């Protein structure tokens, strides 16, 4: 497209033809307020927050959907525009249940921020707030339609990014609400609890089902032994959730959690490494059954199982492919099962006293911990799940100065991690970690990628593919894989998962191993991560993740010393009896 | 005897196709035959068209002539928009409510009549107006209204 010349607020600018006024203003460094616009989504143009004046036009233009034309003269802050924007805001607030101090999104709300920016201190419109309407039965997500501004960002997220489409506008005119099939609870429709709608909602209409209060109670209870695990992506999101620039903050995070009075600060990375060992062996054993024993009942491609939103998705949508999913529990649930067995033994603590809390970039993890299967320790394996945002709120509440705090290290037994575990937080990370380990198990040599960085599975492409050819000389027992080309695929975002699953179902795909993460970008873009999200934000978090990987001494899961100890002392061998009892699970078909 | 809901969807898809543009026609067929659109039909339409149940439900919720609840054999829709209001729609409403012993939005216990209010039905020049099933009745008086009701099966 050729460039054209437009004048924005008196300054001539050259922009690409065909882009919107909003994008043109962006290139010119002029900020326009928006609400229904989101960089990850299709255009809706329904909120009218982005109105601008175009000289010669009778009405104001909707900047987010109107393309620029040659010699267009745009004024973004004229009297007419300011009046219109204030009116839009006042009308939104008039039908809004304004109660910022008691709102989950206080100080992190686009509506509040715009109201402040536009000096809305009084409202002449008669206010008729919708009654508070909280939907509280879903384990991961709550909705309060009285704070909804009908921007449909959630609706577009659920349909376009996740191909789930369980939330839609229901009703007409002033009685529209965002609702579900037959107005059911999110728990009673095929919602994956991924929380992608939550991190794209501009207001407090969608939020996580919070467990901050019971976690404080456990910490305050001297009879309880509170164990925290922190997921890989939390360390690259927490600083951001506390209002600081995006960066990894592992040491500060550990110190802050310890400062809150938690008994043991441990790492989900530890069980991410464990997942790699178990899942790697599972893959090799499936390949052996298929290639050597010619067992046709073995389901290939094998698919990863760490993302609970993905698991719920496949249970609803592709139940016939459930035998392809690795039986490995997610790192969170492996951790939970070991905390109340292995760790209890190491620490000499009665498992009944252990309260196991995980910090997750994820809302679906709240659902996962409630699954009835997740009680293999004899107790509820994970008692509470907090999102990155909830942890940030607790750190704030505890009065901890995160910026100044001195870095500390994780506690022992289940606190060691490797770079392979850290990259679980990014799309492609599980695949990369699994390949680093599996390749070495079967060939006895390191995977031949520069610096162990398996670039083909990295990056933001929706579906990534790679083919890795095994060497001719293999370790004893794995000769059947000599020269075999292993085909793998990685998808993130459930809409991409759907494309891949349709191919698998139709027999069109011939992969051996598939990694799926429910959330765009992987866990670092999870529904429990700081708000807002955008491609740039996810890119920065990704860079932090790979920087953390590169900085760690151990980069391969099987090199983790505590994992080696765990097998020597407790599990004995991968896929062994104890592993099956504690670390593996099964799935169910859901309607 | 009406056909089973699945069969209606099946036949309607054969007639109108399974594209998104066929949704309203398929739903109209179901609504006409059963008087409402039951849950199982919504699921069947969603499956046939390849969209989510929520999407079909959203479409249904937009049209006041569609219902997801069973309704009476006859439906009276009374316009309560301003022209009819000025010409006495309130009195007509009271008349019907008294006659049937139900409030707007409800169905008589014998399943004979459902009473609903509606926005303007385009008969403002002949207000007050009602639609009884597909038939408009205009310039209503309470007596005329009672007579119309009495004539319903
Ligand atoms: S959604 Fe925003 S404006 Fe509304 S109560 Fe919450 S913080 Fe305030
Ligand atoms: S949590 Fe995910 S699946 Fe559920 S409504 Fe939100 S976007 Fe859709
Ligand atoms: S719930 Fe949030 S994202 Fe969805 S329409 Fe309402 S305000 Fe927008
Ligand atoms: S941001 Fe442009 S109309 Fe909503
Ligand atoms: S106002 Fe009643 S028909 Fe138009």
């Amino acid at each position: 497209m050729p460039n054209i010349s437009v004048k924005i607020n008196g300054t001539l600018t050259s922009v690409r033809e065909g882009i919107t006024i909003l994008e043109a203003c962006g290139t010119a460094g002029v900020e326009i307020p928006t609400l229904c616009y989101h960089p990850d989504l299709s255009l809706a143009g329904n909120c009218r927050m982005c109105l601008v004046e175009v000289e010669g036009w009778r009405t104001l233009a909707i900047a987010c959907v109107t393309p620029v034309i040659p010699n267009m003269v745009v004024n973004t802050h004229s009297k007419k525009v300011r009046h219109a924007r204030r009116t839009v805001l006042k009308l939104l607030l008039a039908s809004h249940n304004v109660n910022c101090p008691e709102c989950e999104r206080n100080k992190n709300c686009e509506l509040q921020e715009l109201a402040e920016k536009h000096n809305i201190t009084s409202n002449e419109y008669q206010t008729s707030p919708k009654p508070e309407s909280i939907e509280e039965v879903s384990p991961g997500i709550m909705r309060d339609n009285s704070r909804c501004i009908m921007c449909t960002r959630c609706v577009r997220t659920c349909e376009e990014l996740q191909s789930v489409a369980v939330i839609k506008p229901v009703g007409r005119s002033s009685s529209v609400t965002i609702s579900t099939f037959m107005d059911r609870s999110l728990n009673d429709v095929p919602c994956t609890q991924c929380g992608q709608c939550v991190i794209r909602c501009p207001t407090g209409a969608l939020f996580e089902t919070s467990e901050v209060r019971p976690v404080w109670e456990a910490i305050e209870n001297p009879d309880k032994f509170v164990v925290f695990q922190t997921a890989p992506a939390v360390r690259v999101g927490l600083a951001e959730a506390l209002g600081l620039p995006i960066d990894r903050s592992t040491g500060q995070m550990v110190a802050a959690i310890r400062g809150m009075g938690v008994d043991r600060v441990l790492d989900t990375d530890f069980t991410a490494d464990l997942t790699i060992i178990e899942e790697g062996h599972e893959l090799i054993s499936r390949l052996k059954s298929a290639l050597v024993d010619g067992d046709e009942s073995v389901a290939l491609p094998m698919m990863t199982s760490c993302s609970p939103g993905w698991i719920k998705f496949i249970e609803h949508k592709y139940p016939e492919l459930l035998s392809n999913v690795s039986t490995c529990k997610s790192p969170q649930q492996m951790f939970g099962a070991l905390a109340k067995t292995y760790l209890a033994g190491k620490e000499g603590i009665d498992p009944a006293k252990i309260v196991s809390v995980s910090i997750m970039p994820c809302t679906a993890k709240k659902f996962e911990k409630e699954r009835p299967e997740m009680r293999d320790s004899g107790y509820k394996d994970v008692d509470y799940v907090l999102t990155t945002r909830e942890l940030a709120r607790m750190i704030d509440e505890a009065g901890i100065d995160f910026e100044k705090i001195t870095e500390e290290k994780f506690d022992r037994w289940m606190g060691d991690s490797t770079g392979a575990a850290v990259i679980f937080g990014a799309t492609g990370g599980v695949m990369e970690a699994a390949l680093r380990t599996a390749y070495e198990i079967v060939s006895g040599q390191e995977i031949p990628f520069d610096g162990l960085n398996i670039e083909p599975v990295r990056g933001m492409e929706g579906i990534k593919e790679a083919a890795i050819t095994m060497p001719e000389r293999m370790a004893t027992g794995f000769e059947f894989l000599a020269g075999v080309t292993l085909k793998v695929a990685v998808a993130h975002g459930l809409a991409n998962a759907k494309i891949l699953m349709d191919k698998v179902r139709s027999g069109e795909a011939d992969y051996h191993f598939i990694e799926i993460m429910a959330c765009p970008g992987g866990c670092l873009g999870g529904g429990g991560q700081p708000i807002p999200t955008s491609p740039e934000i996810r890119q920065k978090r990704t860079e932090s993740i790979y920087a953390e990987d590169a900085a760690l001494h151990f980069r391969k899961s099987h090199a983790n010393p505590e994992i080696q100890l765990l097998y020597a002392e407790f599990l004995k061998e991968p896929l062994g009896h104890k592993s099956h009892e504690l670390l593996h699970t099964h799935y169910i078909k859901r309607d | 005897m009406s056909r089973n809901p699945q069969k209606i969807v099946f036949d309607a898809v054969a007639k109108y196709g399974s594209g998104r543009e066929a949704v309203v026609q398929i739903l109209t067929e179901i609504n006409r035959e059963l008087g409402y659109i039951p849950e199982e039909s919504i699921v069947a339409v969603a499956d046939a068209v390849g969209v989510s149940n929520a999407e079909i439900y959203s479409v249904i919720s937009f049209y006041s002539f569609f219902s997801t609840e069973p309704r009476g054999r006859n439906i009276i829709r009374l316009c309560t928009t301003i022209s009819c209001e000025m010409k006495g729609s309130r009195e007509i409403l009271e008349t019907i409510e008294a006659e049937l012993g139900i409030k707007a939005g409800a169905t008589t216990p014998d399943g004979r009549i459902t009473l609903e209010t509606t926005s303007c039905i385009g008969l403002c020049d002949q207000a007050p107006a009602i639609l009884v099933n597909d038939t408009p009745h205009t310039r209503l008086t309470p007596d005329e209204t009672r007579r119309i009701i009495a004539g319903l099966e």
Side-chain angles (χ1 to χ4, degrees), chain A residues 281-293:
Chain A
H281 280 93
E282 185 185 353
L283 176 64
I284 295 165
S285 110
R286 286 197 194 208
L287 289 172
K288 182 159 188 285
S289 307
L291 299 176
V292 180
D293 314 335

Side-chain angles (χ1 to χ4, degrees), chain B residues 79-85 119-125 127-129:
Chain B
C79 169
T80 50
T81 304
I82 187 156
S83 304
C84 289
E85 167 108 38
S119 311
C120 179
I121 48 178
L123 299 163
C124 324
D125 57 328

Side-chain angles (χ1 to χ4, degrees), chain A residues 144-145 147-155 167 178 197 200-206:
Chain A
D144 180 351
N145 273 327
R147 297 175 187 152
C148 172
I149 58 167
M150 290 299 151
C151 67
T152 70
R153 271 157 56 164
C154 56
V155 173
I167 43 177
I178 303 300
C197 51
R200 285 181 187 75
C201 177
T203 72
L206 293 168

Side-chain angles (χ1 to χ4, degrees), chain B residues 9-25:
Chain B
V9 174
F10 186 81
D11 292 347
V13 168
K15 198 149 116 202
Y16 302 113
S18 59
R20 288 169 97 102
E21 67 284 353
V23 166
V24 172
Q25 277 163 311

Side-chain angles (χ1 to χ4, degrees), chain A residues 33-37 44-50 62-65:
Chain A
T34 55
L35 277 170
C36 69
Y37 171 82
N46 64 30
C47 76
R48 300 300 195 265
M49 194 60 231
C50 63
I62 306 164
C64 69
V65 296

